Structures are given as C-alpha cells and as structure tokens.
Amino acid sequence: STCESTVTVQDLIAPITLSQDILIQLNASGNMSITPEQIDNGSNDACGIASLSVLPNAFDCSNIGDNTVVLTVTDNNSNVSTIEAIVTVEDLVAPIAICQDITIQLDINGQVSITANQVDNGSNDACGIATMTVLPNVFDCSHVGANLVTLTVTDNNGNVSTCDATVTVEDNVAPEALCQGLTLQLDANGMGSITNEQIDNGSNDACGIASLSLSQYDFDCTHVGSNTIILTVTDVNGNVSTCESDVTVEDNVAPIAISQNITIQLDDSGHMSITPEQIDNGSNDACGIASLEVSQSDFDC
C-alpha cells in the first residue's frame, strides 16, 4: 500500500556576509558615492544572493575621515544578514587658486603692505578655504614698478595651490619742498648769483630727491630789494613740489670816486663857483651814480 505526504522545504539560513574596509577620494565637487560591491568581500549563500545594499552610500566634505557603513545581504529566499565596514573619505583635490594683478600706492613714508584678499580673485575649494597668504607682501621705494607675488591657497584638508600675480607699486606722493629766505650782496660789478642749496631748507622725500631747481639764479642792479623766487623739488619718481622764497638783493659796494684838479678864474666881482661835474673825473658805480656833490662850490678873493 502507498500513501502521499507533503514535505514543505524552507531555507531559513541567513546568507554569510563578508565586508571590506575601503578608502575613497572626494571629487572636485566634494562628493563621492559607493556601491555595495565595493564593500562586499565575498558574501554568499547556498541558495544564492538576491541583492546587496549599503548605507550610507553618499559622502561629502562633512564625512572626511572614517565612516561606518552597513552592508545588507538578502538571499533568494529573503533571508537577510548585515555587516559593518569602514569607509575612509579623503579630500586630495587641491583648491583652485585664482589671482588678479593690482596697483598700489606707497604712503608718505615710502611703504605699503598688501593682504592676500587684495590679490585673490575668487580662489575656491569644494570643502572650503582654510587660509590664504601672499608673499612678498611688504613694499618700499625699491619696489616701484612691477613685482611678482605668489598667492598660496590652503583648503580645509591641507591641500595647497598657488598662483602668481603682478603688484605694480607706484609713488605718487609729492616731495616736501622747504624754502628759506636769503640776503644777497651784489659784487663790484653789480652782479650776484645763488645756488639751489642756499634756498633749500631741508626738502625731502621718502624715496629720495632727484633734483632741485630755482626760477632765478642770477641777479643784478635791477633786482635790488625783495625778489620772490620759486624752488622746484622733483623726487626720483617724477613727483614735483614747489615753495617760495624771498631773496633780498643788496648793493653795499661804494661807488668809485675819481676827482681831478682844476684852475678857475675869479670874475670882475672877485667871485666864482664850480659844479661837481668840473671836479669829477669819471666817478662810477656798477649800479649807477645817483648824485655828485662838492664840499665847496663858491670862491672869492
């Protein structure tokens, strides 16, 4: 005799989960995702694996370092096993360093400094900029003109990029023109001259004086008295300042008196007079004779 029976076969054995730790790099956008296959290290089941999943599977700059993820393995009969793994996230993408050229002016002391922000033109990094530095960053008169500087950009994860910029240094500060008055004596020829140094009273400029010049150097008898002259001070970078000075011209040279002896005849009344011109024998002065006088002009018996 025979009889029938129903045997129900069940698979209640969970799959064997095997994982591996992995290292991933963020991309230039600061993001990266993983697949279960990257974490799986040979998970298996006698009846076959239906699916693998891993969570979390997306990472960004906030996940730098070690992150615990869970690999879920489901077999063909819906048995599930899980296992943890470590995903180490690294940011090895250097920041984008962007520079711009700038023009700066020296101050009255002939110095100026710059900051990295002045040279930066939008440097960026997906995970953020930690620091920016620029070198050289201090300039003086010796740097007038174009200077090459380097901007160093460091992101929050220690990656570094650099770019170069041109810093044009200008000196637009006029020199300080300082004048002093002067009294000038004409010589025996009625002439006199002055120098820049006699009028200059310590004119100065942080970057140095290139030249001094006067509006008038030579004087003669027509300039006796007060004369306003201008001192022009030019610095080494072409900036100009002026100041005024009073030059007092004096003629303290006595005229040359030249006389001659004369013989005169008394008139019928026993009198006679003379003029200075009769006694003068060519008296002269470089600045001219104003008058002639004689100590006695009338004579008698």
Side-chain angles (χ1 to χ4, degrees):
S1 294
T2 63
C3 66
E4 293 182 349
S5 173
T6 298
V7 176
T8 301
V9 178
Q10 292 182 329
D11 172 18
L12 299 179
I13 298 174
I16 298 171
T17 54
L18 300 172
S19 66
Q20 60 184 346
D21 298 335
I22 64 171
L23 174 67
I24 62 172
Q25 310 294 331
L26 295 180
N27 60 24
S29 300
N31 296 289
M32 184 56 67
S33 60
I34 61 173
T35 64
E37 288 73 21
Q38 289 174 275
I39 300 300
D40 181 46
N41 195 26
S43 299
N44 59 84
D45 186 90
C47 292
I49 301 295
S51 66
L52 298 171
S53 66
V54 63
L55 287 174
N57 60 6
F59 304 89
D60 58 28
C61 297
S62 65
N63 303 118
I64 297 294
D66 292 340
N67 301 266
T68 299
V69 298
V70 176
L71 176 68
T72 300
V73 181
T74 304
D75 68 14
N76 289 323
N77 295 303
S78 299
N79 299 298
V80 177
S81 291
T82 62
I83 191 170
E84 292 183 346
I86 300 298
V87 175
T88 300
V89 177
E90 289 183 337
D91 170 25
L92 298 179
V93 178
I96 300 173
I98 306 174
C99 286
Q100 62 182 347
D101 298 336
I102 62 172
T103 298
I104 58 176
Q105 309 294 329
L106 294 177
D107 62 20
I108 195 171
N109 297 314
Q111 296 182 338
V112 67
S113 61
I114 62 172
T115 64
N117 290 330
Q118 288 174 275
V119 175
D120 178 50
N121 194 27
S123 301
N124 59 86
D125 186 90
C127 291
I129 301 296
T131 61
M132 289 191 295
T133 59
V134 63
L135 287 174
N137 60 4
V138 178
F139 305 89
D140 57 29
C141 298
S142 66
H143 300 108
V144 169
N147 302 267
L148 189 68
V149 300
T150 299
L151 177 69
T152 301
V153 181
T154 304
D155 70 15
N156 287 325
N157 296 305
N159 302 297
V160 177
S161 290
T162 62
C163 61
D164 291 333
T166 298
V167 175
T168 301
V169 178
E170 293 181 347
D171 170 24
N172 291 326
V173 178
E176 183 181 17
L178 300 174
C179 287
Q180 60 185 345
L182 178 68
T183 298
L184 174 67
Q185 305 295 331
L186 295 179
D187 61 20
N189 296 316
M191 306 293 292
S193 62
I194 60 175
T195 64
N196 299 325
E197 290 70 26
Q198 288 175 286
I199 299 301
D200 180 46
N201 194 28
S203 300
N204 60 86
D205 185 89
C207 291
I209 300 296
S211 66
L212 302 171
S213 64
L214 297 175
S215 59
Q216 182 177 349
Y217 289 95
D218 298 319
F219 300 85
D220 57 28
C221 298
T222 64
H223 301 110
V224 170
S226 179
N227 300 266
T228 298
I229 65 168
I230 297 173
L231 173 68
T232 300
V233 182
T234 305
D235 70 15
V236 294
N237 294 307
N239 302 298
V240 177
S241 291
T242 62
C243 60
E244 292 185 350
S245 174
D246 182 57
V247 175
T248 302
V249 177
E250 294 181 348
D251 171 22
N252 290 326
V253 178
I256 299 173
I258 305 173
S259 65
Q260 60 185 342
N261 298 325
I262 64 172
T263 299
I264 60 173
Q265 305 297 325
L266 296 177
D267 61 17
D268 291 342
S269 62
H271 294 88
M272 182 56 67
S273 62
I274 62 172
T275 64
E277 288 74 19
Q278 289 175 280
I279 300 300
D280 181 46
N281 192 26
S283 300
N284 61 84
D285 186 90
C287 290
I289 301 297
S291 65
L292 297 172
E293 294 181 8
V294 65
S295 62
Q296 182 178 349
S297 59
D298 296 321
F299 301 87
D300 57 25
C301 297

